[in-house]
Amino acid sequence: MDKIVVQGAGPLDGEVKISGAKNSALPILISSLLVDGTLTLSNVPHLQDITTTMGLLSHLGVQMQIDENMHIAADSSAVDQIRAPYELVKTMRASILVLGPLLARMGHAEVSLPGGCAIGSRPVNLHIKGLEAMGAKVIIEDGYIKATCKRLQGARMFMDIVSVTGTENLMMAASLAQGVSVIENAAREPEIVDLANCLNAMGAKVSGAGTDEITIEGVDSLHSASHRVIADRIETGTYLVAGAATRGRVKALNTEPKYLEAVLNKLEEAGCDLDVGDDYIEVNMHGRQPKAVSLRTAPHPAFPTDMQAQFVTMNALSQGTGTVVETIFENRFMHVHELQRMGAEIQLEGNTAVVTGRERLQAAPVMATDLRASASLVIAGLMADGPTIIDRIYHIDRGYECIEEKFAGLGANIKRIPSHLWEREKSRYLSN
Ligand code: EPZ
């Protein structure tokens, strides 16, 4: 497997262009299944998860075209498959998002249960419960969710737990149902709003996205449309935290500050100077060590769980002690064990990490365990003496476009070592 080697150096200093949001592009790409025509997308990030999704959609009969600028045209007029196989679904949990659109468009869908995930059990019971409320007959057989319904009926659905993809799946299914649906206790993430805007561009009638109650008036069909995917707020936050943790200056361009209020508040609390414009955010620490902050993850607009690992790393390099509570997923502290190998002082107590900062960390071979944890290990490596070797970086490639180029553009000493060159190169990085 490829590895990333990060050599600790001085503060980051520079600008970084933010890509389109992974967690917006995935549901929006999949919503093309609803259209009896073509959905054209721009600002789609060049990520492994996007490639995986395009493979799944092609398998279902969607004609995909992509150009060198990552403009994607997805033509679903000839969709003729209703089964999303395990081999494709197991590599990306978000594949569950084809369940609602396939059922709504084709009257039948068979989607492999996503299976386990490193950060938690991640059930999909709320997705199924909502579809049943709209009249679907759903059975679980041979590891597949098999759903049937000639035409979904509008229904009122209460989400017992706030679920991002649960809300997205049901919003897409309801857009072609007969009658009006209401999703209560809906997720409020910006990616939900982006999907709703795209659905409405196709002729759907979705209102209330971004609030905890979304109303969808079903229509008989959806037509071709074009849509530009919003900026990635988590990629933005990741680079801003890297700037703060290295006591430097990072300006994130082509981004949307209003999506990151909770994160920006915590960066200010850590002592960052912030300059916020219409489409940029600059963090400047002026060489100062950040102050440790305490936080608690929760559904948007509260502090996002996808930024938790990055802040644990920043706390490990700050003055004082910060307490980080993870309330969304039951196992999202795997980066802690890797950071401890680098000398980080972290006490884990259930869903709480108590982090005591220090000046620097020690370089070490570490292992990426999930997407956001991997990015936090890169940040840690930037403030460690010597080469930090990060293994299993396929996690990173799922969600961060050109991560080594973007960090190098900020002054980081970072390189990717392809697996076939590792045996030759490793002596340069491994102390015996
Ligand atoms: C989305 O995952 C994101 N993924 C995740 O980002 C993000 O961490 C998460 O939302 C929370 O913000 C995409 O958008 C593709 P949930 P999702 O359903 O929708 C429980 C990343 O790094 N739950 O909001 O799968 C669940 O177990 C990824 O980009 C049920 O119990 O998360 C969790 O505890 C990681 N039953 C909570 O809800 C269900 O049917 C929130 O999960 C569904 C969810």
Side-chain angles (χ1 to χ4, degrees):
M1 278 180 256
D2 293 4
K3 296 179 191 332
I4 279 185
V5 180
V6 185
Q7 301 266 11
L12 294 181
D13 183 13
E15 297 183 346
V16 59
K17 280 198 174 62
I18 299 303
S19 304
K22 167 181 88 75
N23 290 349
S24 201
L26 295 180
I28 285 175
L29 248 183
I30 290 170
S31 74
S32 64
L33 286 168
L34 294 163
V35 179
D36 185 9
T38 301
L39 175 62
T40 306
L41 297 177
S42 58
N43 202 36
V44 178
H46 189 198
L47 299 171
Q48 183 53 48
D49 273 7
I50 297 295
T51 306
T52 303
T53 302
M54 291 177 69
L56 174 56
L57 292 175
S58 301
H59 171 85
L60 295 171
V62 180
Q63 305 298 315
M64 307 295 298
Q65 285 180 331
I66 184 167
D67 71 12
E68 66 284 354
N69 300 316
M70 282 297 285
H71 288 153
I72 294 177
D75 178 351
S76 293
S77 40
V79 166
D80 55 1
Q81 299 294 317
I82 54 93
R83 186 178 172 91
Y86 176 66
E87 300 69 48
L88 287 171
V89 172
K90 71 180 177 185
T91 59
M92 186 188 69
R93 305 188 46 73
S95 308
I96 188 66
L97 284 166
V98 304
L99 179 63
L102 263 185
L103 178 61
R105 177 84 188 280
M106 310 294 284
H108 193 79
E110 293 186 9
V111 179
S112 167
L113 276 164
C117 162
I119 62 177
S121 60
R122 307 207 42 200
V124 290
N125 58 307
L126 298 176
H127 300 237
I128 293 168
K129 186 179 164 197
L131 294 175
E132 287 175 331
M134 285 192 271
K137 292 284 169 283
V138 183
I139 60 166
I140 307 287
E141 196 175 57
D142 311 325
Y144 280 77
I145 302 165
K146 297 180 179 176
T148 305
C149 185
K150 191 163 170 38
R151 171 112 195 243
L152 294 168
Q153 298 301 308
R156 180 173 286 273
M157 296 164 268
F158 182 82
M159 308 295 280
D160 302 342
I161 298 176
V162 175
S163 166
V164 174
T165 50
T167 301
E168 290 166 345
N169 229 336
L170 298 177
M171 198 162 74
M172 289 191 281
S175 59
L176 286 181
Q178 181 153 37
V180 177
S181 299
V182 176
I183 303 173
E184 291 183 287
N185 198 29
R188 301 169 54 188
E189 272 68 4
E191 293 76 28
I192 303 273
V193 178
D194 202 25
L195 174 61
N197 290 339
C198 182
L199 289 171
N200 288 339
M202 300 175 191
K205 293 177 182 169
V206 181
S207 56
T211 74
D212 62 359
E213 181 165 299
I214 301 176
T215 301
I216 307 103
E217 188 183 332
V219 296
D220 293 336
S221 67
L222 296 178
H223 54 68
S224 299
S226 298
H227 183 79
R228 177 179 170 78
V229 173
I230 59 172
D232 195 316
R233 59 194 169 99
I234 304 302
E235 185 195 25
T236 303
T238 302
Y239 287 107
L240 295 179
V241 167
T246 59
R247 313 183 188 185
R249 178 189 71 89
V250 167
K251 186 172 186 178
L253 306 174
N254 303 347
T255 191
E256 181 57 77
K258 71 170 184 259
Y259 298 154
L260 281 151
E261 279 182 35
V263 171
L264 297 184
N265 287 346
K266 285 298 167 186
L267 286 171
E268 270 188 325
E269 201 180 305
C272 298
D273 277 348
L274 287 181
D275 173 17
V276 178
D278 290 342
D279 62 354
Y280 73 83
I281 305 169
E282 181 178 82
V283 157
N284 196 337
M285 285 304 286
H286 306 287
R288 299 188 302 264
Q289 186 179 19
K291 294 192 287 290
V293 294
S294 292
L295 59 92
R296 182 185 185 84
T297 67
H300 192 80
F303 189 92
T305 176
D306 291 349
M307 285 299 303
Q308 178 258 104
Q310 298 90 319
F311 270 79
V312 165
T313 299
M314 189 184 78
N315 274 351
L317 290 158
S318 296
Q319 285 167 356
T321 296
T323 300
V324 175
V325 182
E326 172 58 58
T327 72
I328 304 291
F329 292 114
E330 63 267 31
N331 187 33
R332 201 170 197 176
F333 280 127
M334 286 168 296
H335 45 286
V336 167
H337 313 301
E338 301 305 308
L339 291 169
Q340 287 168 333
R341 288 171 46 70
M342 298 176 71
E345 292 176 36
I346 306 173
Q347 297 297 323
L348 265 190
E349 295 150 18
N351 69 344
T352 300
V354 180
V355 189
T356 301
R358 47 185 299 169
E359 277 289 323
R360 291 186 68 84
L361 296 173
Q362 299 137 26
V366 291
M367 189 173 69
T369 50
D370 69 85
L371 170 56
R372 307 303 171 184
S374 323
S376 69
L377 295 176
V378 174
I379 296 172
L382 296 171
M383 288 294 279
D385 298 322
T388 295
I389 302 156
I390 305 173
D391 202 358
R392 299 192 181 182
I393 57 168
Y394 55 85
H395 290 292
I396 292 185
D397 294 334
R398 290 190 48 204
Y400 287 92
E401 186 176 30
C402 306
I403 192 166
E404 61 263 37
E405 286 87 349
K406 291 192 179 188
F407 268 119
L410 293 168
N413 180 341
I414 180 172
K415 64 188 292 189
R416 178 185 294 259
I417 313 284
S419 49
H420 68 280
L421 296 178
W422 180 245
E423 281 311 309
R424 190 186 75 186
E425 299 263 324
K426 67 181 182 181
S427 55
R428 296 168 60 182
Y429 305 111
L430 288 175
S431 52
N432 19 358

